[in-house]
């Protein structure tokens, strides 16, 4: 007998037991089906193929609370694996019955129904819309107001999974009044509930300026900043994500975050954690800095640059380094003052080595190169630029020489230092295509010095001098 035949035999036996006259046998059969379906998608598919779902849905409306919980568990276990299996649950008419269960007197039944609805909604926008159309959202909002913590958690989580797919679905959650209730629970002592609430608010905020403003208007600041100091890593991460999703939209929303003390709080949070928990905070600083000179300066003043530099050097994961590189580029790209704030932390050589390293991911190389370019094009702090004359590849070198060609004509002290440090000699050794932009920059630098100085530092000049010594005839005394 094949494994498939055995499976079909087991399923048909359990299906028969679902119809038994003894309620406890029905419940135990449903629980067994739920555990099988939960184990993997093949078993979940077998539950669908053996036509068990219609029987479960029919009984779900009729039976006692124990059976309802077990039946909802089966639907959740089947629906979690894939959009196709979740669609099978929708197709057999389960949503209406699950929504009725959200109004059940027993909190355990409500919780089981919310779990099943969440697992259906999380796959894609179409399934989420089906859950909305069945009338689940207002009842889930009522569930987050119930006293039971477990029910609050799963209801918040289901709202988060509905809101994440599109602005329209997020708007449905907002229209049901969810945001105000979620915002009031940010300081709940239960860590798991907190990170579900923060997640739901993030999923609403991420889609548009209007939705982000609605979350802000629920007075989440400065309350949400306390979550950045939470002992739980998920709470920290989700709080940072929420602030990031608000700050990314407009300069005005970023300014609001700055005014609430959000930038300094996020920087402290990045300093107190490691790895992926840091990621949303790093990106949030980049988004704030990208909006304007003043907002980038707010990140600098709050000591964001040294913290980002630490992440760039310390973090082992390339995607976190890439985010830090991107954020530093957003800070340094505005003015010479901004570029200098980044350059003095010795970040540029680190970015260059990440760009040049064959071990870096493609994304990290691209982000590092872009950050270097952004910073170099504004940087007039020559001590940070000079090492690049020796180490940078041609595509970066062009920008470095370009900056020297802008600064040297107007700074006599810098001109002298450029000679004594060996910079001028190095520039003469660069091989540039005639007529290229790089050649123009070199000509511009050379025109800052007397011709004999330029000649003196040009390659081959010592040989020319030696030839002159050889051919020189001293005057006879």
């Amino acid at each position: 007998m094949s494994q498939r035949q055995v499976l079909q035999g087991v399923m048909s036996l359990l299906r028969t037991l679902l119809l038994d006259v003894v309620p406890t046998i029905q419940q135990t059969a449903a629980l067994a089906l739920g555990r099988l379906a939960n184990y993997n998608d093949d078993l979940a598919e077998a539950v669908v193929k053996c036509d068990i779902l219609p029987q479960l849905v029919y009984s779900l409306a009729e039976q006692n609370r124990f059976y309802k919980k077990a039946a909802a568990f089966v639907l959740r276990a089947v629906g979690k694996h894939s959009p196709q299996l979740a669609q099978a649950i929708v197709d057999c008419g389960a949503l209406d019955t699950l929504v009725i269960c959200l109004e059940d007197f027993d909190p355990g039944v409500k919780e089981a129904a919310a779990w099943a609805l969440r697992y259906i909604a999380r796959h894609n926008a179409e399934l989420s819309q089906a859950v909305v159309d069945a009338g689940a959202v207002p009842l889930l909002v009522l569930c987050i107001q119930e006293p039971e913590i477990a029910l609050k958690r799963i209801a918040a989580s289901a709202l988060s999974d509905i809101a994440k797919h599109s602005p329209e679905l997020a708007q449905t959650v907002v229209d049901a009044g969810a945001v105000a209730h979620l915002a009031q629970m940010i300081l709940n002592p239960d860590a798991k509930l907190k990170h579900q609430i923060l997640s739901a608010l993030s999923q609403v905020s991420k889609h548009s300026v209007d939705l982000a403003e609605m979350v802000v208007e629920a007075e989440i600041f400065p309350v949400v900043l306390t979550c950045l100091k939470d002992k739980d890593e998920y709470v920290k991460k989700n709080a940072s994500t929420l602030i990031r999703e608000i700050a990314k939209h407009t300069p005005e929303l970023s300014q609001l975050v700055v005014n609430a003390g959000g930038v300094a709080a996020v920087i402290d949070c990045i300093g107190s954690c490691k790895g992926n928990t840091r990621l949303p905070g790093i990106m949030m600083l980049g988004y704030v800095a990208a909006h304007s000179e003043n907002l980038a300066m707010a990140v600098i003043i709050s000591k964001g640059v040294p913290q980002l530099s630490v992440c760039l050097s310390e973090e082992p994961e390339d995607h976190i380094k890439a985010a830090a590189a991107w954020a530093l580029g957003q800070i340094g790209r505005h003015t010479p003052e901004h570029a200098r704030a980044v350059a003095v932390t010795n970040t540029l050589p680190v970015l260059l080595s990440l760009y040049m390293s064959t071990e870096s991911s493609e994304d990290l190389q691209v982000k590092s190169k872009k950050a270097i370019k952004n910073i170099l094009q504004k940087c007039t702090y020559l001590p940070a630029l000079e090492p690049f004359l020796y180490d940078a590849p041609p595509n970066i070198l062009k920008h470095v020489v370009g900056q020297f060609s802008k600064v040297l004509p107007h700074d006599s002290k810098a001109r002298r230092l450029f000679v004594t440090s060996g910079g001028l000699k190095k520039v003469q050794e660069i091989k540039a295509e005639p007529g290229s932009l790089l050649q123009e920059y070199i000509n511009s630098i050379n025109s800052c010095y007397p011709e004999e100085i330029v000649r003196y530092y040009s390659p081959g000049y010592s040989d020319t001098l030696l030839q002159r010594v050889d051919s020189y005839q001293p005057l006879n005394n």
Side-chain angles (χ1 to χ4, degrees), residues 173-461:
V173 172
V174 171
D175 292 344
V179 170
H181 295 294
L182 291 166
Q184 283 165 9
M185 292 191 288
I186 286 174
L187 290 182
N188 190 291
D190 183 76
K192 283 184 181 169
L193 175 59
K194 259 193 292 204
H195 72 73
Q196 300 296 3
I197 287 162
L198 293 165
S199 169
L201 292 170
S202 300
Q203 298 294 5
V204 171
S205 302
K206 75 179 184 183
H207 294 290
S208 71
V209 178
D210 290 345
L211 288 165
E213 283 175 349
M214 284 174 186
V215 172
V216 169
E217 282 162 16
E219 297 182 359
I220 62 163
F221 290 105
V223 180
V224 73
L225 303 182
T226 59
C227 297
L228 295 168
K229 295 187 172 75
D230 203 275
K231 293 193 290 289
D232 187 279
E233 293 292 298
Y234 287 108
V235 172
K236 277 186 182 180
K237 186 179 179 184
N238 287 7
S240 296
T241 304
L242 172 55
I243 298 165
R244 178 192 74 193
E245 297 299 2
I246 289 165
K248 76 179 183 186
H249 290 293
T250 64
E252 292 73 23
L253 282 167
S254 268
Q255 190 63 59
L256 188 146
V257 171
V258 170
N259 294 349
V263 167
V266 165
I267 292 165
D268 286 347
C269 177
I270 293 170
S272 72
C273 56
K274 291 274 185 286
N276 274 323
T277 310
R278 280 175 157 172
L279 189 58
I282 291 169
M283 292 180 70
M284 175 264 183
L285 295 177
Y287 281 128
V288 171
H291 285 305
S292 73
E293 284 179 24
N294 289 345
L295 287 163
M297 193 49 75
V299 176
I300 291 168
I301 289 164
S302 298
K303 304 205 166 36
V305 175
Q307 196 59 69
L308 287 168
S309 299
V310 166
C311 296
L312 190 70
S313 303
E314 275 186 8
E315 282 296 333
E317 298 281 344
D318 276 10
H319 68 282
I320 301 173
K321 285 181 187 284
W326 170 77
L328 287 160
Q330 296 307 317
I331 295 166
R333 73 182 176 85
H334 293 286
T335 70
E337 194 181 354
H338 291 81
R340 180 175 179 141
V342 177
V344 295
T345 58
N346 207 31
T347 298
L348 286 167
V350 180
L351 286 169
L352 183 64
S353 68
L354 291 170
Y355 166 56
M356 303 280 283
S357 171
T358 52
E359 289 176 17
S360 294
S361 68
E362 188 183 348
D363 183 52
L364 177 54
Q365 288 178 332
V366 168
K367 296 268 195 326
S368 298
K369 180 188 173 186
K370 189 83 169 57
I372 292 166
K373 196 172 161 185
N374 281 346
I375 297 159
L376 286 180
Q377 286 176 336
K378 293 294 178 186
C379 188
T380 55
Y381 180 59
L382 299 187
L385 294 178
E386 206 154 304
F388 276 69
L389 288 173
Y390 300 89
D391 302 330
N395 58 339
I396 304 272
L397 187 63
K398 176 177 70 181
H399 300 295
V400 179
V401 177
Q403 287 309 102
F404 278 108
S405 76
K406 287 180 200 167
V407 176
L408 292 174
H410 313 290
D411 190 334
S412 58
K413 192 176 171 190
R415 287 199 295 273
R416 180 182 174 84
L417 199 61
F418 194 58
V419 174
T420 55
S421 68
L424 185 63
K425 180 175 188 290
K426 184 64 195 166
V427 166
Q428 305 317 309
E429 292 166 7
I430 295 169
K431 291 177 173 60
E433 291 285 322
S436 66
L437 197 57
L438 179 56
Q439 188 61 59
E440 278 181 42
Y441 292 150
I442 292 170
N443 294 344
S444 179
I445 291 169
N446 289 348
S447 68
C448 296
Y449 295 96
E451 196 182 329
E452 60 268 27
I453 293 287
V454 176
R455 271 212 314 275
Y456 179 76
Y457 286 108
S458 296
Y461 182 67

Side-chain angles (χ1 to χ4, degrees), residues 83-134:
Q84 292 75 23
L85 287 165
Q87 188 64 51
I89 294 171
V90 175
D91 293 343
C92 73
L95 291 182
D96 291 340
T97 316
L98 286 167
V99 168
I100 291 166
C101 288
L102 287 178
E103 295 185 271
D104 199 273
F105 181 72
D106 183 83
V109 173
K110 288 181 184 175
E111 191 189 328
W115 269 109
L117 290 164
R118 181 212 163 179
Y119 274 133
I120 294 164
R122 73 176 186 172
H123 290 294
N124 59 41
E126 289 73 31
L127 287 162
S128 199
Q129 189 64 53
V131 171
V132 169
D133 293 342

Side-chain angles (χ1 to χ4, degrees), residues 2-20:
S2 71
Q3 191 175 356
R4 179 171 287 185
Q5 286 171 314
V6 171
L7 195 54
Q8 280 176 332
V10 169
M11 291 296 173
S12 59
L13 277 172
L14 288 169
R15 187 168 184 265
T16 309
L17 292 172
L18 284 175
L19 303 168
D20 198 277

